[in-house]
């Protein structure tokens, strides 16, 4: 088997949401803080944004009659 062979490539689970590559401008100090925690900073940023989104949705849904 060669590196990059399709049989060795990890595939996301069926339940994993699709990801899209985007460019986002962040404050330098904030990005430095996320990166200082080590690998996975983009995942951590995504999780915090998701939690905020879900909290906003729950708040909106609770306010609807």
């Amino acid at each position: 088997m060669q590196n990059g062979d399709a049989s060795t490539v990890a595939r996301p689970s069926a339940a994993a949401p699709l990801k899209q590559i985007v460019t986002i401008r962040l404050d330098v100090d904030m990005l430095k803080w996320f990166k200082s925690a080590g690998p996975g900073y983009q995942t951590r940023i995504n999780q915090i944004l998701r939690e905020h989104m879900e909290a906003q949705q729950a708040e909106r849904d609770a306010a609807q009659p």
Side-chain angles (χ1 to χ4, degrees), residues 1-63:
M1 242 184 273
Q2 297 178 355
N3 283 342
D5 183 352
S7 64
T8 64
V9 175
R11 299 185 193 285
S13 71
L18 293 175
K19 303 287 185 179
Q20 181 172 343
I21 296 173
V22 298
T23 300
I24 184 171
R25 295 179 188 273
L26 302 172
D27 295 338
V28 172
D29 60 336
M30 187 178 66
L31 183 58
K32 184 177 178 181
W33 182 80
F34 274 102
K35 286 184 170 185
S36 72
Y41 74 93
Q42 291 174 327
T43 300
R44 288 189 295 278
I45 293 170
N46 189 71
Q47 184 60 38
I48 289 170
L49 290 171
R50 175 168 295 285
E51 289 170 3
H52 180 73
M53 177 191 75
E54 290 172 352
Q56 293 293 308
Q57 289 173 332
E59 187 176 306
R60 181 197 64 216
D61 292 346

